[in-house]
């Protein structure tokens, strides 16, 4: 291990202190500040969703009523699902890290439409507040999928939540448009498409899905609202409507939406694998084209949510095969990340620990996804805890692991300070194990036949539920530790210097934290992204491994 | 081997001919996944040890995966996925096409119970009697929201959707009792919407069916539903049948057959829906709302019926619905040939 003693200094002026006062934050057009504000908002929604997750797990500790009644349980899982999916996972990485890093990575001073960017933040905030307020007001018990005819028949107040999610959808569309335009028009001179960092590619792919799919969601939500208010009868069989129409429309958006959640995470992982193996990705081309492939084929698989709904047998077979195609792109990425380690120089840092957790969870989450896409197997697994485990492996395991990896990897860039690395690695291990302990038993519960969204269950399911709840408490504990040391590091962490990881990512060319204008001089990226085969052009860097 | 895998994976017993097919593909998927997972894990682990960082600024030579490796990465998993898909699809097609000699059962999901009815009469709530070793075709629909009929031991699941009929079938292997659950969220008591499939040997099933014969609807329901059976007893004991029939013919009082939720015209004008509240009121205060065309002769049972008696009577009356749901009219457009 070599150690460079030169103690880096905090740059004197940066985006955090360039202007002062709450007002300067609330009216800022700076993509970095907007990214940080999004990060703050997202941490709040995650906390709220997490508290309800623990409440759900506690209720399921024993059969019968443990801490809440059935109505309260139904409302809680809806609240948990709505918040986690619509208010946390879908916006998470693009709006926080994407906003912060995209211009830095392509050498731009800001996104294409800075004011729109701020508007997108406020729309998100408005939608989030509406949703949370509505849910706390009376509660909704439809689950995050709002399936009709239940959602048009239930006595709980669905409308405000639909409207909240609708508004959040607008925020998503605006962010997507902004990113697409930025990538097309604001790349630094000389940065061709095949020289863009992988993270930028994944943000681009995500934005395309957002812009194409979210309007469908908006439309569906409006139709449900119309159905509730005016009884138009689109989905109500008593009026000649079709309940399955809703499911088709809903999943036409929501299946691609799971790729909105996962693609940016894959971008984060691609960046971190490279940085912590000090290695170019073993195939840049594969990482790029699999991103495009996922964004495209993701639109063709929605029917795999409906194998037992009575849809045509041929339809099910078609959707099954198309789902296999989308899985192959994920498999390609996993192979590429693993082979990137080959002949690298690997540093088991906290972000890299999350990377390993990510690859593990994505592999099993993805394989269980292929498994439920097999039509006959899904006869048993559909709507059981197997599915709950599957989507938590993917959504939480992968998106959340990537979020944590991003949080640790870019923390020094965003705030100019490092966090205690040893603590970081230890907590990462705790989180990964807590996670596996929580959701692995749920696969087995699904095999036993435990349906999802059950407030109460037959006795023989109990031991696995106890295991799952124990894992969840471990997980919750891990998050507390992270909150504690990251909070501490904001003030007291070691000053990071420009590039504490010795990364070749373009964003590390500017100061940490970056100046308000991102770069002091027009940026010049002398090598391809993720290239570690030539001597460093920024020799001032000091880092600890 | 099969049994070992089944217990490792916490799968319930295989109660139907479908179950072993579903489990077969399940085992195949799990085993390949584990093998590949172990392969990737080991490779990663070896790389981790072998390529640990030693110098902070070590350079690494650029390396690009050769084309043949990329091709391998695509073709090997894809061929496995497609193989699984094809094998699974074969069984799925099989599971959706009932053999022609199957026994038909109508299944109606309703918040929060499962109702079963055979074409020739007897119906039951929350208990389905079927013979072992004979295919049973289920025709499912729902009265309110979407439910999903799920028998874990049979690996069988099919949604029951309002306004539509869906179809599935199974063949139970051996006599026994198997839990039925509802797998699609359907409201407050979703998790309590449970029923049971009672698989009888063919001889027992025939005997059971013969017993259902006479007073088709009532005794069929009576046998299978303790509250309903008790309601029948109470009605006999209290002499309700002196005035009410259960076969649809009006007598001194209105018939109970199909009474539940019927719109009844009232003597005093207007109509009333015969819901639980009305049924209860009519037992306690019969003169309050008299159905048009009947004399106000019913005595009050206030104080004579315990709460449980009332509940079982109401259940009994509810069970007397004509059980066969009427298939919805075909909604396909009809085309007329022009110029004929
Ligand atoms: C401490 C960690 C967590 C625990 C213990 C947990 C637990 C649960 C439980 C018990 C359910 C209800 C399952 C059911 O009744 O069907 C559920 C549903 C769900 N969870 Fe989590 N969860 C956790 C974290 C997350 C996170 C971080 C996300 C998203 C980022 C998430 C997304 C979902 C979704 C989408 C559903 C489905 C909701 C629905 O079916 O309506 N969960 N979770
Ligand atoms: Cu149900």
């Amino acid at each position: 291990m070599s150690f460079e003693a030169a103690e880096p200094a905090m740059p004197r002026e940066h985006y955090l202190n360039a202007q002062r006062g709450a007002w300067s934050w609330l009216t800022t057009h700076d993509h970095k500040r907007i990214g940080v504000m999004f990060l703050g908002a997202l941490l709040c929604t995650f906390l709220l969703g997490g508290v309800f997750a623990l409440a759900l797990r506690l209720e399921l500790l024993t059969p019968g009523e443990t801490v809440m009644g059935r109505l309260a349980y139904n409302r809680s899982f809806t609240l948990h699902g709505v918040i986690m999916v619509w208010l946390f996972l879908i916006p998470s990485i693009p709006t926080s890290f994407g906003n912060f890093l995209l211009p830095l990575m392509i050498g731009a001073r800001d996104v294409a439409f800075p004011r729109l960017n701020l508007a997108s933040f406020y729309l998100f905030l408005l939608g989030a507040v509406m949703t949370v307020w509505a849910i706390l007001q009376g509660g909704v018990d439809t689950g995050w999928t709002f399936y009709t005819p239940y959602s048009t028949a239930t006595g709980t107040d669905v409308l405000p939540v639909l409207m909240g999610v609708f508004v959040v959808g607008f925020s998503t569309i605006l962010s997507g448009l902004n990113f697409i335009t930025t990538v097309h028009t604001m790349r630094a001179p000389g940065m061709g498409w095949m020289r863009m960092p992988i993270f930028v590619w994944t943000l681009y792919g995500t934005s395309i899905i957002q812009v194409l799919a979210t309007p469908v969601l908006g439309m569906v939500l409006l139709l449900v609202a119309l159905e509730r208010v005016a009884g138009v009868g689109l989905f109500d069989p008593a009026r000649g409507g079709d309940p399955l129409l809703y499911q088709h429309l809903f999943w036409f958006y929501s299946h691609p939406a799971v790729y909105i959640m996962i693609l940016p995470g894959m971008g984060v992982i691609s960046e971190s694998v490279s940085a912590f193996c000090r290695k170019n990705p073993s195939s840049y081309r594969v990482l790029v084209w699999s991103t495009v492939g996922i964004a495209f084929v993701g639109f063709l698989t929605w029917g795999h949510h409906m194998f037992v709904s009575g849809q045509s047998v041929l339809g099910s077979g078609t959707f099954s095969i198309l789902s296999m195609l989308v899985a192959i792109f994920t498999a390609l990425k996993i192979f590429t990340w693993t082979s990137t380690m080959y002949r690298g120089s690997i540093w088991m840092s906290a972000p890299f620990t999350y990377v390993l957790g990510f690859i593990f969870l994505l592999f099993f989450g993805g394989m269980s996804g292929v498994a439920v896409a097999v039509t006959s197997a899904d006869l048993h697994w559909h709507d059981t805890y197997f599915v709950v485990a599957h989507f938590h492996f993917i959504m939480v395991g992968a998106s959340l692991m990537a979020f944590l990896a991003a949080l640790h990897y870019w923390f020094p860039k965003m705030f100019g300070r490092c966090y205690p690395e040893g603590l970081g690695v230890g907590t990462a291990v705790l989180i990964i194990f807590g996670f596996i302990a929580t959701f692995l038993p749920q696969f087995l519960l699904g095999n036993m036949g435990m349906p999802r969204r059950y407030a109460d269950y037959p006795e023989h399911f109990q031991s696995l539920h106890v295991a799952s709840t124990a894992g969840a408490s471990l997980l919750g504990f891990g998050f507390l530790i992270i909150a504690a040391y990251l909070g501490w590091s904001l003030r007291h962490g070691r000053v990071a210097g420009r590039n504490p990881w010795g990364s070749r990512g373009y964003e590390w060319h500017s100061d940490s934290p970056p100046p308000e204008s991102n770069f002091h001089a027009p940026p010049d990226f002398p090598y391809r992204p993720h290239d570690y085969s030539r001597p460093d052009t920024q020799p001032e860097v000091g880092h600890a491994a | 081997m099969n049994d070992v895998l089944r217990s490792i994976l916490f799968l319930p017993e295989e109660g139907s001919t479908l179950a072993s097919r579903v489990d077969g593909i399940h085992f195949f998927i799990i085993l390949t996944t584990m093998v590949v997972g172990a392969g990737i894990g080991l490779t990663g682990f070896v790389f981790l040890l072998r390529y640990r960082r030693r110098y902070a600024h070590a350079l690494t030579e650029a390396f690009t995966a050769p084309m043949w490796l990329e091709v391998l990465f695509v073709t090997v998993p894809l061929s496995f996925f497609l193989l699984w898909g094809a094998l699974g699809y074969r069984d799925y097609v099989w599971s959706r096409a009932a053999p022609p000699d199957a026994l038909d059962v109508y299944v109606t999901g309703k918040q929060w119970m499962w109702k079963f009815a055979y074409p020739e009469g007897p119906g039951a709530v929350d208990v389905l009697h079927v013979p072992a070793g004979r295919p049973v075709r289920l025709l499912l629909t729902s009265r309110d929201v979407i439910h999903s009929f799920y028998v874990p031991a049979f690996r069988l699941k099919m949604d029951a959707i309002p306004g539509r009929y869906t179809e599935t079938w199974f063949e139970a292997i051996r006599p026994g009792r198997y839990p039925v659950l509802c797998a699609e969220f359907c409201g407050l008591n979703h998790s309590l919407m449970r029923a049971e499939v009672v698989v009888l040997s063919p001889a027992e099933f025939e005997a059971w069916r013969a017993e259902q014969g006479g007073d088709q609807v009532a005794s069929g329901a009576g046998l299978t539903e303790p509250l309903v059976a008790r309601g029948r007893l109470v009605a006999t004991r209290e002499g309700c049948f002196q005035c009410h029939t259960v076969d649809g013919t009006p007598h001194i009082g209105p018939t109970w057959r199909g009474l539940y939720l019927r719109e009844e015209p009232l003597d005093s004008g207007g109509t009333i829906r015969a819901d639980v509240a009305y049924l209860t009121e009519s037992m306690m205060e019969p003169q309050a709302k008299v159905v048009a065309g009947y004399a106000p002769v019913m005595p009050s049972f206030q104080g004579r019926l315990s709460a449980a008696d009332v509940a079982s009577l109401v259940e009994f009356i509810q069970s007397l619905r004509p059980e066969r749901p009427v298939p919805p009219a075909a909604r396909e457009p009809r085309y007329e040939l022009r110029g004929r």
Side-chain angles (χ1 to χ4, degrees):
Chain A
M1 299 264 162
S2 85
F3 219 106
E4 280 178 43
E7 179 67 33
M10 201 78 154
R12 250 185 298 124
E13 191 179 286
H14 47 78
Y15 80 101
L16 290 167
N17 66 8
Q19 291 170 39
R20 293 190 172 275
W23 190 244
S24 75
W25 277 85
L26 295 179
T27 57
T28 184
H29 295 161
D30 183 350
H31 67 99
K32 298 184 288 302
R33 286 188 161 201
I34 294 174
V36 170
M37 291 198 293
F38 261 120
L39 185 61
L42 291 168
L43 291 177
C44 295
T45 54
F46 180 65
L47 178 68
L48 196 57
V51 167
F52 276 88
L54 286 178
L56 292 172
R57 278 312 334 159
L58 209 57
E59 169 57 33
L60 293 176
L61 194 58
T62 65
E65 199 168 307
T66 310
V67 292
M68 55 177 113
R70 287 191 293 280
L71 183 60
Y73 181 86
N74 295 347
R75 287 175 169 173
S76 302
F77 78 66
T78 302
L79 191 139
H80 168 73
V82 166
I83 290 185
M84 286 296 193
V85 171
W86 305 114
L87 305 184
F88 176 72
L89 276 183
I90 289 184
S92 66
I93 295 177
T95 59
S96 55
F97 300 107
N99 247 325
F100 194 99
L101 294 163
L102 179 89
L104 286 171
M105 284 183 163
I106 61 174
R109 293 185 60 143
D110 205 325
V111 290
F113 308 114
R115 252 166 297 205
L116 200 63
N117 204 12
L118 186 66
S120 161
F121 174 70
Y122 282 116
L123 273 178
F124 171 76
L125 217 55
L126 176 69
V129 169
M130 271 169 78
T131 312
V132 173
W133 174 83
I135 305 182
L136 296 179
Q137 209 56 25
V140 181
D141 64 349
T142 58
W144 69 277
T145 49
F146 307 118
Y147 265 25
T148 56
Y150 189 75
S151 62
T152 53
T154 173
T156 57
D157 208 359
V158 186
L159 267 188
V161 179
L162 292 180
M163 290 302 109
V165 174
F166 185 76
V167 172
V168 170
F170 263 99
S171 157
T172 308
I173 297 176
L174 294 185
S175 291
L177 281 174
N178 214 340
F179 282 4
I180 293 176
T181 318
T182 309
V183 169
H184 272 275
T185 60
M186 299 182 68
R187 281 171 288 139
M191 184 186 285
W193 284 90
M194 285 322 236
R195 280 189 75 159
M196 281 191 334
I198 307 274
F199 185 52
V200 175
W201 264 110
T202 57
L203 287 174
Y204 182 72
T206 310
S207 303
I208 302 249
I209 309 180
Q210 284 174 337
V211 169
L212 291 182
T214 317
V216 180
L217 173 77
M219 177 190 83
V220 187
L221 294 177
L222 276 188
L223 291 180
V224 174
L226 259 180
E227 180 102 356
R228 263 190 87 86
V229 178
V232 279
L234 283 161
F235 308 125
D236 177 2
R239 294 163 193 269
D242 181 358
L244 294 191
L245 176 63
Y246 176 83
Q247 296 185 15
H248 281 293
L249 291 174
F250 178 82
W251 288 114
F252 181 78
Y253 165 77
S254 293
H255 192 81
V258 306
Y259 296 110
I260 299 181
M261 305 175 206
I262 196 84
L263 268 181
M266 291 172 158
V268 170
I269 297 308
S270 305
E271 296 283 332
S272 332
V273 163
S274 206
F276 293 97
C277 297
R278 286 195 73 77
K279 191 81 182 57
N280 67 311
S282 72
S283 180
Y284 175 89
R285 195 175 44 170
V286 163
L287 289 180
V288 168
W289 289 111
S290 58
T291 301
V292 177
I294 289 177
F296 179 68
V297 185
F299 278 100
L300 306 178
T301 63
W302 78 89
H304 67 206
H305 295 271
M306 300 168 65
F307 289 159
V308 304
S309 70
Q311 86 182 347
S312 82
V313 174
L314 188 62
S316 294
T318 312
F319 282 120
S320 171
I321 299 298
L322 287 168
S323 308
M324 304 300 167
L325 296 186
V326 78
I328 217 53
F329 295 117
T330 308
L332 265 175
K333 283 193 193 271
I334 290 184
F335 290 134
T336 306
W337 294 322
T338 315
S339 54
T340 298
M341 293 164 74
Y342 177 66
R343 300 186 132 191
S345 163
I346 303 169
W347 178 7
M348 273 297 290
S349 56
F352 196 68
T353 313
Y354 286 113
V355 167
L356 296 183
F358 177 98
I359 295 180
F360 177 85
L361 297 174
L362 184 72
F363 177 78
F364 284 101
M367 290 306 270
S368 58
V370 178
V372 287
V374 171
T375 38
S376 72
D378 193 52
L379 292 176
H380 183 52
W381 282 326
H382 179 78
D383 268 343
T384 65
Y385 262 70
F386 191 92
V387 171
V388 176
H390 153 66
F391 68 62
H392 277 87
F393 258 63
I394 288 277
M395 296 183 358
V396 195
S399 310
L400 190 68
M401 288 293 142
F403 186 80
L404 291 172
L407 194 60
H408 287 81
Y409 178 41
W410 285 306
F411 187 86
K413 173 94 307 185
M414 297 175 87
F415 303 108
R417 292 183 184 272
C418 296
Y419 56 88
E421 193 57 41
L423 203 53
V425 174
T427 318
V429 172
L430 178 73
I431 294 244
I432 294 169
F433 276 98
F435 185 84
I436 294 172
T438 309
F439 294 104
L440 196 68
Q442 296 189 2
F443 279 123
L444 301 176
L445 271 173
N447 280 356
M448 282 178 87
M450 164 94 194
R452 67 193 279 211
R453 298 177 173 179
Y454 259 31
D456 183 5
Y457 53 85
E459 211 129 296
H460 60 285
F461 293 126
Q462 190 182 1
S463 46
L464 287 169
H465 275 300
V466 171
S468 179
T469 302
S473 16
L474 217 57
L475 201 51
F477 184 57
F479 286 118
L480 287 185
I481 306 181
I482 297 185
Y485 72 72
L486 285 189
W488 178 86
S489 308
L490 275 181
R491 292 239 135 179
H492 309 285
R494 191 170 54 81
V495 173
R498 183 172 272 210
N499 187 357
W501 309 116
S503 166
R504 297 289 163 88
Y506 293 160
E507 71 278 22
W508 300 98
H509 280 253
S510 70
D511 290 346
S512 316
E516 204 177 11
S517 57
N518 287 356
F519 302 94
H520 294 298
D524 158 41
F525 305 130
Y527 45 79
R528 301 183 73 80
H530 322 296
D531 180 358
Y532 290 86
S533 62
R534 280 185 284 157
D536 207 333
T537 51
Q538 321 166 41
E540 44 127 351
V541 180
H543 73 108
Chain B
M1 174 69 173
N2 239 11
D3 285 334
V4 176
L5 279 175
R6 238 176 3 92
S7 61
I8 294 177
L9 294 172
F10 284 68
L11 286 164
E13 67 176 305
E14 293 174 346
S16 72
T17 48
L18 175 63
S20 49
R21 291 175 176 247
V22 171
D23 284 1
I25 189 85
H26 185 158
F27 298 150
F28 182 29
I29 295 174
I30 295 286
L31 287 176
T32 25
T33 302
M34 289 303 162
V35 169
V36 177
I40 297 179
L42 273 179
T43 315
F45 189 67
V46 169
F47 285 174
L48 215 56
L49 294 183
R50 171 75 184 71
Y51 302 114
R52 252 184 3 263
R53 185 170 303 183
R54 300 199 168 81
Y55 310 100
H57 292 285
L59 289 181
T60 57
E61 73 199 88
F63 161 81
T64 304
M67 193 62 167
W68 62 264
L69 196 62
E70 288 172 7
V71 171
L72 204 68
F73 283 170
V74 174
T75 46
V76 172
L78 191 59
S79 31
F80 269 101
F81 292 172
L82 292 178
L83 181 63
W84 294 347
L87 291 177
Y89 189 58
R90 185 197 57 191
D91 292 340
Y92 180 80
V93 171
W94 181 84
S95 81
R96 291 283 295 269
D101 62 332
L103 172 75
D104 279 348
V105 179
Y106 297 107
V107 181
T108 310
K110 182 177 175 311
Q111 283 169 331
W112 289 277
M113 62 184 80
W114 289 108
K115 297 192 166 192
F116 304 101
Y118 301 84
E120 65 274 36
V125 176
D126 286 347
V127 184
L128 169 63
H129 287 89
V130 296
R134 171 162 176 207
V136 177
R137 183 169 74 130
L138 303 178
L139 291 154
L140 304 110
T141 190
S142 159
R143 284 257 166 83
D144 35 49
V145 299
I146 300 178
H147 303 273
S148 190
F149 183 85
Y150 179 32
V151 189
F154 296 173
R155 315 288 188 270
L156 179 79
K157 190 179 288 119
M158 181 50 76
D159 286 356
I161 300 172
R164 277 189 181 229
Y165 271 73
T166 52
E167 178 187 327
T168 187
W169 73 280
F170 66 89
E171 183 181 323
I173 298 177
R174 68 188 93 77
R177 297 171 158 266
Y178 305 91
V180 176
L181 304 164
C182 174
E184 180 66 60
F185 179 71
C186 58
L188 186 63
N189 289 336
H190 167 54
S191 56
L192 301 179
M193 186 166 164
R194 302 177 199 159
E196 205 175 29
V197 184
V198 177
V199 179
L200 303 170
S201 68
E204 278 174 322
F205 181 76
E206 284 316 319
W208 175 81
R209 222 171 22 171
E211 216 177 296
Q212 308 303 301
D215 186 357
Q216 287 184 337
V217 174
S219 67
L223 245 190
T224 51
E225 190 23 80
L227 258 189
V228 171
R230 173 163 175 189
R232 208 179 140 70
L233 283 178
V234 174
T236 317
R237 187 186 75 208
E238 299 293 336
C240 308
F241 294 139
Q242 288 168 9
C243 302
H244 299 281
T245 67
V246 293
D247 59 3
T249 45
H251 193 37
I252 300 173
T255 178
W256 285 356
R257 177 90 199 259
L259 169 63
Y260 183 59
L261 292 189
R262 192 159 64 200
E263 293 283 338
E264 295 278 42
L266 290 182
D267 225 11
S268 52
T271 61
I272 181 103
R273 225 159 83 100
D275 54 9
V276 174
Y278 173 72
L279 295 181
T280 318
E281 187 189 58
S282 297
M283 293 176 217
M284 300 309 160
E285 222 181 307
Q287 314 319 344
K289 293 175 186 123
V290 179
V291 178
Y294 292 95
V297 294
M298 177 163 159
S300 168
F301 288 83
Q302 182 84 49
R304 277 171 57 186
L305 294 171
S306 71
D309 285 344
V310 176
S312 54
L313 279 172
V314 170
E315 277 297 303
F316 176 57
I317 294 173
Q318 284 190 17
S319 76
L320 295 170
R321 307 191 67 173
E323 268 303 340
R324 254 147 303 154
V326 193
R331 250 189 270 113
E332 291 85 35
R334 268 189 282 138
Y335 300 98
E336 315 247 307
L337 285 182
R338 281 169 168 247
R340 252 224 323 213

